[in-house]
Amino acid sequence: DGAVVYVPACNMPEFVAGAFAALNASSRIVLVSGGEDVGVPLELWGGARRLVGSEPPLSFGDASLRAFLCDARLAAWFVQNYDLAGRDAAALPRRCARKVRPLPIGADLHSRHERSPVHEPPCAQAQRLARLRAAAPPWSRRADRVLAAFTANQFGGRRQLRAALAALPPSTVLRPAGGLLAEQERQYAAVAAQASWRATAAAAFVAAPQGRGRDTHRVWESLLLGAVPVVLRSTLDELY
């Protein structure tokens, strides 16, 4: 009773059908879900946005989102890429909808440890972020421009944003040396990551469009490094 349980978002169907269904009626748990780009809970349950890419569709069988959220055994559900809004949220009883709470995805300290050839430990990356922040100029002395260091892929309107930024006067847009960093390089190469973080620590504003998921590491890395992320209004607004 009162246990905190972590379940990766895409493992939720198995959890709901198995461990959760087996809980006693008097049990109460706090659930935490993340580790995936899928929106939670609507996209995860097959709502407004569908899973993209090659993943097979997730199925909760006969278990409805409404029944799960209104189940007394679920005390709260903290989720990354929170997407409970609009008519789907309004259709739920308020006491049930309020159980779902957004959780930031934070800085990306896992990709360069798990996938980069250098396998840089997360603690070492966090220490490097802290050093960059300590050495960064105050916000009032930073370049009054928007840092554009994202890949113009098909997600989150990035191509449209790239085109809009390209139409602005060069004096208003700041780009890292060598142009826009490739997302794959930014995530998996330590040198590219350092360049991205250094550029962020020198910028006043950072364009942080959504990617495959609603939340982005760039938002939280910008805040950690003293910059102001520029985002579109979304279901994550209450996090800011």
Side-chain angles (χ1 to χ4, degrees), residues 54-107:
S54 59
E55 298 93 336
L58 300 176
S59 174
F60 286 84
D62 296 330
S64 73
L65 176 59
R66 182 190 183 100
F68 177 68
L69 294 182
C70 293
D71 194 308
R73 295 173 296 178
L74 180 68
W77 189 13
F78 293 88
V79 303
Q80 293 179 342
N81 290 302
Y82 171 85
D83 68 352
L84 188 57
R87 290 179 298 177
D88 297 282
L92 292 169
R94 182 176 176 82
R95 64 177 178 83
C96 304
R98 291 180 63 182
K99 290 183 180 181
V100 190
R101 305 172 191 177
L103 186 70
I105 66 172

Side-chain angles (χ1 to χ4, degrees), residues 144-146 168-174:
D144 191 16
R145 291 183 287 176
V146 178
L168 294 175
S171 61
T172 63
V173 181
L174 178 66

Side-chain angles (χ1 to χ4, degrees), residues 22-155:
L23 289 175
N24 294 326
S26 60
S27 298
R28 300 291 183 270
I29 66 167
V30 174
L31 187 61
V32 181
S33 291
E36 303 288 348
D37 292 327
V38 61
V40 183
L42 295 183
E43 182 182 359
L44 181 65
W45 233 275
R49 290 181 63 201
R50 299 292 180 180
L51 288 169
V52 294
S54 59
E55 298 93 336
L58 300 176
S59 174
F60 286 84
D62 296 330
S64 73
L65 176 59
R66 182 190 183 100
F68 177 68
L69 294 182
C70 293
D71 194 308
R73 295 173 296 178
L74 180 68
W77 189 13
F78 293 88
V79 303
Q80 293 179 342
N81 290 302
Y82 171 85
D83 68 352
L84 188 57
R87 290 179 298 177
D88 297 282
L92 292 169
R94 182 176 176 82
R95 64 177 178 83
C96 304
R98 291 180 63 182
K99 290 183 180 181
V100 190
R101 305 172 191 177
L103 186 70
I105 66 172
D108 182 2
L109 303 181
H110 63 90
S111 294
R112 287 175 287 277
H113 173 63
E114 298 169 355
R115 306 173 191 177
S116 169
V118 298
H119 297 295
E120 184 179 14
C123 289
Q125 296 177 62
Q127 291 169 359
R128 181 154 52 82
L129 271 171
R131 290 194 298 270
L132 283 171
R133 175 61 188 269
W139 192 83
S140 59
R141 289 172 47 197
R142 299 189 184 193
D144 191 16
R145 291 183 287 176
V146 178
L147 174 65
F150 61 89
T151 302
N153 56 32
Q154 71 270 33
F155 302 116

Side-chain angles (χ1 to χ4, degrees), residues 184-209:
Q184 184 174 5
E185 292 178 351
R186 180 182 177 276
Q187 290 184 352
Y188 307 142
V191 174
Q194 292 178 32
S196 174
W197 286 351
R198 284 196 300 268
T200 299
F205 302 95
V206 177

